[in-house]
């Protein structure tokens, strides 16, 4: 990772709302991402974790501009792409690629692997003829496949190999940022480590930056330099990987971490599993105060009234919780 911590991507107050039907002719807004801000430094892996439906995949797709943001800024090397039109986005699409969760669904079954990997080269008019073929073979080699694989179709490959094809396609345009949207969730455990090792090797060789989206906290810890924890469309904690796992401050992060199995029996005996009770609120009608108040074991009256904001509690460790930042509770009760 860059020693100077140059910022590659900065997301500021990002919101993504979807219009949904509430029945009986009424409509509402599903607040999938609600006022999220963070930075990703050049050469780092930034993990984004949370339960299914917390908004982490929507953030990834909004940053990649597969979704149009409702509000906020998405700065790539300082340039805001949040509200650019499709044609204006073209140069930024080269810098930013996505690896999807389901490698089979994301590969066109009627195209050969060579054409799948070559498609971005065609769209961006990067290479033709022999140069195109040579580049496809290079990319196959970089992800541990061979040039013989170029003439085969996706159904002829295993899940792990198909994810390698997805990675080769993502690398074709030499991007700076790769958004990895649960890239190993659909793979067997034995294959997951191989794909992670490949991503780490490629990062070292090419200085790539990753936004790594996952619900599997143990894998995110392994690969990420820093981690953001999401709950109900909000970022609730952000810290470097070691700090987040050793000293989690937000009650939701503490509960998530307590559920990770550890190989050491003494450590297992020491750890207390936190079982969350209460219902997960709907993002169509989220709580006015803390998004976690309906399940938090430490909830206070102020939590139901005032939304906690992300505050730096120690250098580089941010958390949105009235327990950690009690001055907000005082204000709420005044
Ligand atoms: Fe729990 Fe209140 Fe902190 Fe929210 S703000 S996590 S409800 S203590």
């Amino acid at each position: 990772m860059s020693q100077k911590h140059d910022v590659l991507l900065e997301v500021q107050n990002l919101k993504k709302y979807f219009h949904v039907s509430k029945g009986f002719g009424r409509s509402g807004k599903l607040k999938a991402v609600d006022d999220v801000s963070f930075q990703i430094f050049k050469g780092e892996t930034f993990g984004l974790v949370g339960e299914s439906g917390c908004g982490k995949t929507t953030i990834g797709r909004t940053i990649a501009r597969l979704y149009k943001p409702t509000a906020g800024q998405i700065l790539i090397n300082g340039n805001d792409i949040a509200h650019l039109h499709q044609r204006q986005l073209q140069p930024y699409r080269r810098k930013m690629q996505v690896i999807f969760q389901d490698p089979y669904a994301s590969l066109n079954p009627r195209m050969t692997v060579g054409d799948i990997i070559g498609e971005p080269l065609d769209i961006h008019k990067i290479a033709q003829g022999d140069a195109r073929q040579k580049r496809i073979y290079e990319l196959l080699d970089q992800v541990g496949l061979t040039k013989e694989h170029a003439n085969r179709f996706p159904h002829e490959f295993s899940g792990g190999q198909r994810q390698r094809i997805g990675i080769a396609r993502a690398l074709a345009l030499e991007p700076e940022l790769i958004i990895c949207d649960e890239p190993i969730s659909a793979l067997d455990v034995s294959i997951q480590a191989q794909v992670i090792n490949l991503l780490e090797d490629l990062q070292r060789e090419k200085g790539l930056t990753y936004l790594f989206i996952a619900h599997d906290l143990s894998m995110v810890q392994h690969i990420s330099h820093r981690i953001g924890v999401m709950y109900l469309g909000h970022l609730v904690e952000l810290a470097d990987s070691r700090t987040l796992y050793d000293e989690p401050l937000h009650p939701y992060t503490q509960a998530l971490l307590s559920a990770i199995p550890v190989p050491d029996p003494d450590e297992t005996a020491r750890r207390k599993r936190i079982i969350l009770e209460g219902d997960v609120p709907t993002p169509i009608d989220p709580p006015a105060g803390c998004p976690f108040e309906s399940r938090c074991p430490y909830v206070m009256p102020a939590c139901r009234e005032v939304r906690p904001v992300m505050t730096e509690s120690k250098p580089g460790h941010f958390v949105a919780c009235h327990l950690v930042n009690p001055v907000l509770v005082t204000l709420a009760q005044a």
Side-chain angles (χ1 to χ4, degrees):
M1 187 175 131
S2 164
Q3 291 301 307
K4 289 189 294 178
H5 288 194
D6 298 332
V7 175
L8 174 62
L9 172 79
E10 180 160 11
V11 169
Q12 289 181 353
N13 308 106
L14 188 67
K15 295 182 182 180
K16 178 59 194 172
Y17 298 169
F18 295 98
H19 287 281
V20 289
S21 167
K22 292 169 93 177
F24 303 106
R26 295 179 306 142
S27 65
K29 283 182 192 146
L30 187 153
K31 297 181 175 180
V33 177
D34 200 7
D35 207 6
V36 169
S37 302
F38 60 88
Q39 296 177 328
I40 302 183
F41 304 129
K42 282 186 181 159
E44 82 164 333
T45 299
F46 184 87
L48 205 51
V49 296
E51 292 163 308
S52 179
C54 70
K56 56 192 189 300
T57 288
T58 304
I59 286 197
R61 289 175 179 229
T62 309
I63 289 171
R65 284 296 318 269
L66 301 176
Y67 295 149
K68 195 170 187 310
T70 303
Q73 291 184 305
I74 303 165
L75 300 141
I76 302 279
N77 288 324
N79 301 303
D80 187 8
I81 64 157
H83 303 285
L84 295 184
H85 299 301
Q86 288 304 320
R87 200 178 311 153
Q88 295 170 311
L89 277 172
Q90 190 93 333
Y92 297 100
R93 291 210 186 281
R94 284 187 61 170
K95 293 178 191 285
M96 200 167 37
Q97 293 290 307
V98 184
I99 301 170
F100 294 96
Q101 176 180 2
D102 183 346
Y104 195 54
S106 65
L107 304 176
N108 187 334
R110 293 187 194 83
M111 288 170 75
T112 63
V113 166
D115 282 340
I116 288 170
I117 297 171
E119 193 178 30
L121 303 174
D122 303 336
I123 291 170
H124 290 267
K125 298 185 176 60
I126 292 193
Q128 292 172 327
D130 290 348
R132 177 184 186 273
Q133 201 66 5
K134 186 165 170 269
R135 180 78 181 123
I136 290 167
Y137 292 159
E138 272 173 16
L139 288 160
L140 284 168
D141 181 56
Q142 284 171 10
V143 298
L145 297 172
T146 66
K147 61 182 182 183
E148 283 73 36
H149 290 124
N151 293 323
R152 298 198 201 157
F153 290 87
H155 73 268
E156 298 177 64
F157 293 86
S158 67
Q161 286 175 318
R162 284 199 286 262
Q163 197 54 290
R164 286 173 189 269
I165 297 165
I167 294 169
R169 180 179 55 185
L171 292 174
L173 298 175
E174 301 186 329
E176 291 181 62
L177 173 69
I178 298 187
I179 298 168
C180 308
D181 183 9
E182 305 234 25
I184 54 169
S185 308
L187 304 177
D188 290 345
V189 174
S190 58
I191 306 296
Q192 289 183 349
Q194 293 175 14
V195 173
I196 291 294
N197 290 340
L198 172 63
L199 288 170
E200 289 183 324
D201 290 346
L202 290 168
Q203 182 171 53
R204 268 191 297 276
E205 283 166 27
K206 298 175 180 295
L208 289 167
T209 304
Y210 295 137
L211 170 57
F212 194 92
I213 298 166
H215 62 269
D216 180 343
L217 275 164
S218 51
M219 196 54 85
V220 170
Q221 177 191 25
H222 175 76
I223 193 171
S224 303
H225 298 99
R226 291 185 306 136
I227 296 172
V229 180
M230 285 198 68
Y231 186 81
L232 203 71
H234 296 268
L235 202 58
V236 296
E237 187 159 7
L238 191 163
D240 69 82
S241 176
R242 170 67 66 86
T243 303
L244 191 89
Y245 280 80
D246 289 349
E247 304 164 41
L249 293 176
H250 197 282
Y252 177 61
T253 314
Q254 291 166 357
L256 285 181
L257 287 170
S258 80
I260 297 180
V262 283
D264 179 352
D266 293 338
E267 177 66 18
T268 306
R270 264 197 307 276
R271 276 182 169 215
K272 188 165 156 267
R273 173 91 197 261
I274 302 168
I275 309 284
L276 291 176
E277 293 175 354
D279 296 327
V280 183
T282 163
I284 299 175
D285 193 14
C290 174
F292 191 53
E293 54 96 346
S294 64
R295 297 168 83 195
C296 180
Y298 311 106
V299 63
M300 302 170 281
C303 303
R304 298 202 163 93
E305 294 170 26
V306 182
R307 177 156 295 164
V309 293
M310 287 286 269
T311 306
E312 192 167 20
S313 74
K314 290 180 197 166
H317 192 167
F318 298 80
V319 63
C321 174
H322 295 319
L323 273 182
V324 186
N325 307 305
V327 64
L328 291 178
V329 179
T330 309
L331 287 173
Q333 290 172 339

